Amino acid sequence: MKKNISSYNKIEKRTVEHLAKLCRLELSETEILNYQNDLSKILEYIDKLKEIDISNVRTSFDFGRNKNIKRRDEFVDTKGSLDIPEKIIKLMPETKDGYLKVKKII
Amino acid sequence: MEFTDLTIEKIHYSLLKKEFSVSELTKYYLEKIKKEDKEIFAFITLDEKGSLILAKKLDEKISKGQKINLLTGIPCAIKDNILVQDIKCTAGSKILQNYFPPYDATVVKKLKEEGVIILGKTNLDEFAMGSSTEYSYFGSTKNPLDKKLTPGGSSGGSAAAVAAGFCVFSLGSDTGGSIRQPAAFCGIVGLKPSYGAISRYGLIAFASSLDQIGPMAKTVKDVNIVFESIVGSDKFDSTSVDIPKNNRKIKIKETKIGIPKDYFIKKIDAKIERAVKKAIKRYEDMGAKIEEISLPYTEYALPCYYIIAPAEASSNLARYDGIKYGWCEKTEVDLLNFYLKNRGKGFGPEVRRRIMLGTFTLSSGYFEAYYQRAQKVKKLITEDFKKAFDRVDFIITPTTPTPPFKLGEKIQDPVLMYLSDIFTVAVNLAGLPAISIPVEKKQPLSFQIIGPLFSDFSLIEMAKIYEA
């Protein structure tokens, strides 16, 4: 199978804008144009994979180690790490009375 | 006492013989870093106080005649995407510039149990995405061999710290070459272990199916000592396993080395090619059998990597939103705009590029054409290696296609930057162990030895033979 890269030669500007929103990234107009160029170039490069016939290949994610790792659902004593909750709360940008403050959703 | 060219064993025996103390040793390294790291910028954070307090404690232990480990008192550095409890961990990113981890990564916990001195945290490309350490929010690291050159990346700070003599060993992480390529550029040794050989618990995730932590040092022997102290399964990382230790003796005259013709391509620099052929010749002179092999899917490894790694990164990095931890802009906006601002300004250009690329290839309508196809190609690449290892014991290739490049040379062209990893990514896709070794000590021309899955101990033995 020979490659056909023309279809992705340049991704559309509105595709980049949509992607940025999906990724929750605020971008300036210049950044959008730069990413339009970069992403087009990268997609053209990775389109090389279309040369390969993969019809007979089964997907594998695990380097041949397909087994579940289980553990008992039981209490684990975390002696020596009792201050971890306080440390986690200290990392929160905004708290009130020991609770994490978040933005209003509804 | 002269502290240059110290190895782990040399320090250990000097400490036992009381030729110097852990405090003297630690002070020497801290002073050197404070004096010389202004020009190199290997470290993002130095833990001067913690290092000296621990050094003093260890000295008391030694003076009382208590037993110490081989790694006790050995000054080291940790890549700043591996968590050390209560020491700032930035991942080279603005979004984590004030993150103080409440716990230790498993590798760090194990090293602490051995009694190492963690001098500080080293610079990296933001979230380990890059091949030159220029994508760090905090600034570029310079190559100690020549300050106009990059140290490689993403573990450029860890490589530079060892090469500049700021520590005895360091830890890096390797997703597509991020230990081996900077080790090669800085003329040191770097090991990327088999996927699963070392726990990833406490490593800030980039591409979880490819990431692996590994040691970097001046000698294979030191890399070996550190590897042995951090290897092994961990209940906090269900992909980790215990790898076999039995097949360690190498009889070089019965060893077959495969040289894949697909790696000696036109794009390769003449100096690198000459150097790697010299290394191969050395093994041949010792009696190893050299055989030309073919890994036909080699040229597809890099494009395959640039689908899988960004796809996994885009979901792994979704957690950084400035709400639970990390940098955020304190503004009165709604939730959506809060996310958009924090992530838009908190991530640098390369990280944003990869998040968008990954989101694109995973999005509906493109998933099969990209991610699923890439997973199948990954399987073909893995099978390429499996077939090769039916015929040969090890494979030797160059680590990089070129010697270190100049700072700024590739920063404007992402695809050109990605090509720096052309010889290293296939190993990550196949989950194999590989070690990069300088052909001549302290020279930035290196070769890599690749071994079959979980052959890490034999691979290290094979590398030791070269060093001997």
Side-chain angles (χ1 to χ4, degrees), chain B residues 6-286:
Chain B
L6 285 179
T7 61
I8 294 170
E9 280 185 344
K10 270 193 214 167
I11 294 176
H12 181 66
Y13 293 115
S14 296
L15 290 175
L16 288 178
K17 283 189 266 176
K18 301 196 170 58
E19 288 172 356
F20 51 77
S21 67
V22 181
S23 298
E24 283 168 325
L25 184 72
T26 306
K27 272 181 205 153
Y28 161 80
Y29 279 106
L30 287 169
E31 288 310 313
K32 189 172 167 74
I33 295 165
K34 282 197 277 182
K35 211 168 81 194
E36 296 172 23
D37 199 36
K38 284 186 200 96
E39 285 187 31
I40 306 278
F41 193 49
F43 285 88
I44 293 178
T45 307
L46 257 194
D47 183 24
E48 197 177 350
K49 206 175 139 202
S51 298
L52 290 171
I53 291 172
L54 178 60
K56 212 175 147 207
K57 266 192 207 155
L58 294 172
D59 281 332
E60 282 164 18
K61 204 174 158 181
I62 294 170
S63 69
K64 281 183 201 153
Q66 288 176 14
K67 199 178 165 286
I68 59 165
N69 303 311
L70 196 48
L71 282 171
T72 302
I74 306 293
C76 69
I78 309 285
K79 187 177 181 180
D80 209 20
N81 61 350
I82 300 172
L83 309 187
V84 180
Q85 192 177 5
D86 300 329
I87 295 181
K88 189 171 70 179
C89 190
T90 67
S93 180
K94 179 181 179 179
I95 210 158
L96 286 179
Q97 62 180 333
N98 287 317
Y99 178 66
F100 286 82
Y103 66 97
D104 278 327
T106 297
V107 287
V108 170
K109 191 168 162 262
K110 286 184 170 183
L111 286 177
K112 281 183 175 176
E113 281 162 9
E114 296 288 319
V116 304
I117 304 276
I118 298 173
L119 296 171
K121 305 294 299 292
T122 51
N123 199 17
L124 68 157
D125 288 294
E126 188 177 356
F127 286 100
M129 297 176 194
S131 311
S132 68
T133 320
E134 290 167 293
Y135 291 132
S136 165
Y137 172 69
F138 303 96
S140 308
T141 300
K142 323 283 181 294
N143 191 324
L145 298 176
D146 178 346
K147 295 186 189 86
K148 291 189 293 298
L149 306 176
T150 86
S154 65
S155 313
S158 287
V162 170
F166 295 159
C167 58
V168 181
F169 74 89
S170 60
L171 290 187
S173 68
D174 192 315
T175 306
S178 280
I179 287 174
R180 290 160 287 153
Q181 186 254 20
F185 276 14
C186 294
I188 63 161
V189 182
L191 170 72
K192 183 263 165 202
S194 292
Y195 183 76
I198 292 175
S199 169
R200 289 180 292 113
Y201 180 70
L203 167 68
I204 293 177
F206 158 18
S208 308
S209 75
L210 309 169
D211 296 343
Q212 198 46 202
I213 293 172
M216 305 168 86
K218 279 186 178 154
T219 65
V220 178
K221 213 170 178 183
D222 281 357
V223 160
N224 185 22
I225 294 168
V226 179
F227 176 70
E228 288 204 24
S229 71
I230 57 176
V231 72
S233 66
D234 173 18
K235 64 177 176 189
F236 295 125
D237 173 4
S238 56
T239 63
S240 64
V241 288
D242 287 311
I243 64 164
K245 270 192 175 183
N246 48 7
N247 50 348
R248 296 182 60 176
K249 258 282 153 281
I250 301 252
K251 288 184 185 132
I252 193 70
K253 290 198 168 66
E254 291 165 23
T255 302
K256 266 194 212 164
I257 300 173
I259 311 299
K261 58 173 190 258
D262 324 77
Y263 279 68
F264 291 85
I265 45 175
K266 268 178 272 162
K267 283 175 210 151
I268 185 172
D269 182 274
K271 269 189 274 173
I272 296 263
E273 189 169 353
R274 266 200 307 277
V276 175
K277 286 194 167 149
K278 208 170 127 191
I280 296 167
K281 180 81 185 7
R282 182 133 175 237
Y283 276 115
E284 194 174 14
D285 291 346
M286 286 188 266

Side-chain angles (χ1 to χ4, degrees), chain A residues 8 23-24 26 31 35 38 45 47-49 51-52 57-59 63 65 87 92-93 100 103, chain B residues 85-86 195 239 299-300 302 323-324 331 340 343 349 352-353 359 366 370 373 376 379 429:
Chain A
Y8 292 118
C23 301
R24 299 290 185 263
E26 186 179 76
E31 283 171 332
Y35 282 128
D38 291 351
Y45 178 66
D47 262 350
K48 191 176 169 52
L49 292 195
E51 294 170 11
I52 308 175
V57 186
R58 281 187 54 219
T59 320
F63 303 116
R65 278 170 278 162
K87 283 181 181 171
M92 295 171 179
L100 168 66
K103 296 277 171 194
Chain B
Q85 192 177 5
D86 300 329
Y195 183 76
T239 63
E299 59 172 321
Y300 300 104
L302 197 65
I323 290 184
K324 295 186 292 297
T331 48
L340 288 169
R343 291 169 58 82
R352 289 184 303 199
R353 186 151 48 223
T359 303
Y366 295 106
Y370 288 106
R373 174 173 285 266
K376 291 186 175 183
K379 187 154 190 208
L429 292 169

Side-chain angles (χ1 to χ4, degrees), chain B residues 272-380:
Chain B
I272 296 263
E273 189 169 353
R274 266 200 307 277
V276 175
K277 286 194 167 149
K278 208 170 127 191
I280 296 167
K281 180 81 185 7
R282 182 133 175 237
Y283 276 115
E284 194 174 14
D285 291 346
M286 286 188 266
K289 286 181 195 71
I290 310 294
E291 198 173 306
E292 190 184 86
I293 57 164
S294 175
L295 298 166
Y297 288 103
T298 297
E299 59 172 321
Y300 300 104
L302 197 65
C304 178
Y305 174 85
Y306 275 97
I307 294 173
I308 293 173
E312 292 183 16
S314 83
S315 44
N316 270 328
L317 271 62
R319 74 190 69 172
Y320 303 106
D321 54 12
I323 290 184
K324 295 186 292 297
Y325 57 90
W327 175 83
C328 75
E329 204 172 55
K330 298 226 160 76
T331 48
E332 290 304 317
V333 289
D334 63 13
L335 186 67
L336 176 65
N337 278 295
F338 186 73
Y339 285 149
L340 288 169
K341 279 193 194 310
N342 289 337
R343 291 169 58 82
K345 288 182 187 163
F347 291 131
E350 177 63 16
V351 172
R352 289 184 303 199
R353 186 151 48 223
R354 296 210 198 180
I355 291 174
M356 286 203 284
L357 179 62
T359 303
F360 179 80
T361 58
L362 286 177
S363 58
S364 118
Y366 295 106
F367 177 76
E368 281 179 17
Y370 288 106
Y371 192 73
Q372 212 167 55
R373 174 173 285 266
Q375 284 295 345
K376 291 186 175 183
V377 174
K378 180 183 175 194
K379 187 154 190 208
L380 292 172

Side-chain angles (χ1 to χ4, degrees), chain A residues 4-5 9 13 17 23 31-32 39 45-46 48-49 51 57 60 67 73 79-81 83 91 98 102 104 106:
Chain A
N4 170 22
I5 54 164
N9 259 354
K13 190 178 160 221
E17 286 164 342
C23 301
E31 283 171 332
I32 292 204
L39 293 175
Y45 178 66
I46 62 184
K48 191 176 169 52
L49 292 195
E51 294 170 11
V57 186
S60 113
K67 79 170 192 230
D73 185 18
K79 244 183 242 160
S81 44
D83 55 342
L91 287 169
V102 295
K104 201 169 126 185
I106 37 169

